[in-house]
Amino acid sequence: MRSVLILLVVAFAAGIWAKRENYTGRQRLVGYWGQNGAGPANGPSNYERSLAETCRTTKYDIIAVSFVIIFWDSRNKDSLPSLNFAYHCEKSISPQYPFLLRCPKIEEGIKVCQGLGKKVIMSVGGATGDGTLPTPAKARELAQTFYDLFLGGSRMDGSLNLRPFGSAVMDGIDLDIEGGRGDNYGDFIKEMRRIMDADQSKVYLLTGAPQCPYPDHHLGPGGNSGLELAGEDMDHLYIQFYNNYCHTGAGNWFDSTLKQWLDFSKSRSPRGPLIFIGMPAATGGASGAHFYRPPAELRALYQKVRDLPGIGGIMLWDVSWDQNNVISGKRYSEVAFSLLKGSTVVPTGSPGVSTEPPINPPGPTTLPPTTKPAGPFSCSGKQDGTYADPADCTKYHQCYSGTKYSFACPNGLNFNPKIKACDWPANVRC
């Protein structure tokens, strides 16, 4: 009887796993849609096109609809989330839910995209969003709320359907967490994955969009961060290789940081998330023109990295900038997509999860001074490198060409200037 039970458990587990993302075939192109980022610069006639038209006229494999900006908004009844889709949708579901929107055009677009074989996921957070999850219980509650509002669940208030996109069932959830605290994301990811896997009617994606500095301040890995505790439950990471020292044009800084993300993926068992190279789709899509890679540079860059185990494809911010960046008759995304032809996803191995605490930032090309700076930290006169914060042991700074980039270690770790990594407090003189 015991052997029969074991076989049943194994068979059930295999069935659940079979519903996870298939890490085979051509690498994928991902685009963020919904914020009309290029609209103000290009005028109303060049505003971001509808979701349906975007899917009909572009090569994107995955569209991340952006954003859920507030997870618990007290202005909505029952503190349900608030949404922002720029000019695409502005009508609330009802006066009791003024910031929970009802978007029939986006609902239609989701179905059009899916009919064309594309996946549409809901991105939460964003640059202005507060990603704080106050307790483990609230983190798990939020996972259920997202499933009910956007995925295969349901949420009613009497006869009022509270789903923003009606009967459209989205293909997953994307964590673009850039504000608030990073606590309790392990609980959220595990619960979101459990709920997704329990729904055998659909293959759901669970993705994230960390900043490129490793580890990401909000998602990790390291300490008790979400990626440290549940990285193997994530399918994709759309690493934002822009607006930071580790951008795609930064040479060794980019190479070493990409290796750290790929090594993290490789360390997860039974498998880690695929790593995507995230880039702006035009010079205006980032905080500086030097973060953008023109087509020739894009080709050279991606040809160098695309066969590395764990690379999943390219992510572009955003669809509106791409739409307004037409080069020799082709959108920038068409250039990116052409690089994916003939590519193959090569999953990383799974040698097991590392339990070592240090998480190394990319090494400087020249060693920085060993003396601890006094007063507010400045990169003026300093060589490129990694420096401890003079006033806060949990923080550190990267200097690159005189520009300062500031970071904080994951919760529970301090920056160790000897190894230039986030480390256990017992190993750090503070």
Side-chain angles (χ1 to χ4, degrees):
M1 179 64 181
R2 183 172 181 272
S3 62
V4 172
L5 179 60
I6 291 173
L7 287 173
L8 287 173
V9 171
V10 170
F12 176 75
I16 292 290
W17 189 254
K19 284 294 183 181
R20 291 285 300 277
E21 161 79 341
N22 183 3
Y23 282 17
T24 60
R26 176 181 56 77
Q27 293 169 3
R28 298 162 179 85
L29 181 63
V30 181
Y32 280 78
W33 175 93
Q35 288 300 294
N36 189 34
N42 291 280
S45 63
N46 294 301
Y47 276 8
E48 189 173 57
R49 300 295 186 257
S50 71
L51 181 58
E53 184 176 345
T54 295
C55 284
R56 290 189 185 107
T57 59
T58 67
K59 301 290 188 180
Y60 291 106
D61 298 293
I62 300 170
I63 299 287
V65 174
S66 313
F67 291 107
V68 175
I69 56 169
I70 301 177
F71 295 167
W72 292 277
D73 193 334
S74 61
R75 297 171 297 178
N76 288 330
K77 182 181 176 181
D78 299 327
S79 295
L80 287 183
S82 288
L83 314 179
N84 181 291
F85 304 123
Y87 84 102
H88 291 292
C89 177
E90 299 174 298
K91 184 178 179 180
S92 63
I93 281 183
S94 80
Q96 292 181 303
Y97 302 92
F99 299 97
L100 184 64
L101 306 179
R102 179 69 180 94
C103 308
K105 286 291 186 181
I106 299 180
E107 175 185 1
E108 174 192 0
I110 293 169
K111 294 177 180 179
V112 168
C113 295
Q114 291 171 336
L116 294 169
K118 303 173 186 288
K119 292 185 179 294
V120 185
I121 60 180
M122 186 71 247
S123 189
V124 306
T128 62
D130 182 353
T132 300
L133 306 179
T135 66
K138 294 294 283 185
R140 293 189 291 270
E141 171 194 301
L142 187 65
Q144 186 65 56
T145 296
F146 286 165
Y147 179 78
D148 291 345
L149 291 180
F150 306 111
L151 306 183
S154 63
R155 184 67 65 94
M156 303 291 292
D157 182 356
S159 60
L160 179 64
N161 185 353
L162 299 180
R163 289 173 59 85
F165 311 131
S167 60
V169 178
M170 302 184 82
D171 296 290
I173 298 294
D174 172 64
L175 302 176
D176 183 8
I177 308 304
E178 302 183 36
R181 302 199 321 269
D183 304 337
N184 304 314
Y185 271 92
D187 295 278
F188 173 86
I189 293 170
K190 290 177 181 178
E191 180 67 4
M192 194 77 258
R193 184 82 269 167
R194 184 195 68 79
I195 295 171
M196 287 176 167
D197 287 351
D199 181 353
Q200 289 289 284
S201 67
K202 194 175 185 69
V203 177
Y204 290 108
L205 290 173
L206 185 51
T207 70
Q211 305 289 313
C212 64
Y214 184 95
D216 179 71
H217 176 59
H218 296 94
L219 293 178
N224 292 318
S225 66
L227 290 178
E228 184 66 30
L229 298 176
E232 63 277 6
D233 288 328
M234 301 291 288
D235 294 302
H236 301 163
L237 292 180
Y238 308 134
I239 312 296
Q240 299 182 47
F241 283 106
Y242 51 94
N243 296 341
N244 273 296
Y245 70 90
C246 40
H247 63 92
T248 53
N252 183 63
W253 292 89
F254 167 73
D255 294 339
S256 58
T257 307
L258 174 60
K259 183 178 184 301
Q260 289 179 301
W261 284 108
L262 290 172
D263 285 347
F264 160 73
S265 176
K266 184 177 180 180
S267 75
R268 308 309 293 190
S269 179
R271 70 179 193 183
L274 292 176
I275 304 300
F276 286 66
I277 310 299
M279 294 177 284
T283 55
S287 60
H290 61 292
F291 295 121
Y292 168 71
R293 302 274 70 77
E297 294 181 20
L298 173 62
R299 290 189 185 96
L301 169 79
Y302 203 69
Q303 286 169 358
K304 183 175 71 171
V305 305
R306 79 171 198 169
D307 294 329
L308 296 175
I311 292 291
I314 295 172
M315 176 274 279
L316 296 179
W317 176 267
D318 65 358
V319 168
S320 67
W321 285 111
D322 170 44
Q323 172 188 304
N324 285 280
N325 186 17
V326 178
I327 306 162
S328 299
K330 292 184 177 181
R331 292 182 182 179
Y332 189 73
S333 61
E334 293 182 68
V335 178
F337 182 80
S338 70
L339 302 175
L340 305 179
K341 294 178 180 178
S343 66
T344 302
V345 171
V346 181
T348 58
S350 50
V353 179
S354 170
T355 58
E356 294 299 315
I359 302 164
N360 297 308
T365 55
T366 306
L367 290 176
T370 57
T371 56
K372 193 172 185 178
F377 185 84
S378 170
C379 284
S380 178
K382 289 185 173 61
Q383 297 172 336
D384 291 353
T386 307
Y387 297 82
D389 186 273
D392 189 336
C393 289
T394 67
K395 297 180 180 179
Y396 63 96
H397 308 277
Q398 302 274 2
C399 292
Y400 178 70
S401 298
T403 300
K404 180 179 74 172
Y405 301 89
S406 299
F407 308 97
C409 290
N411 292 337
L413 300 181
N414 288 344
F415 182 75
N416 186 339
K418 292 183 178 180
I419 63 174
K420 302 198 180 299
C422 297
D423 201 353
W424 300 121
N427 299 332
V428 181
R429 288 187 62 185
C430 185

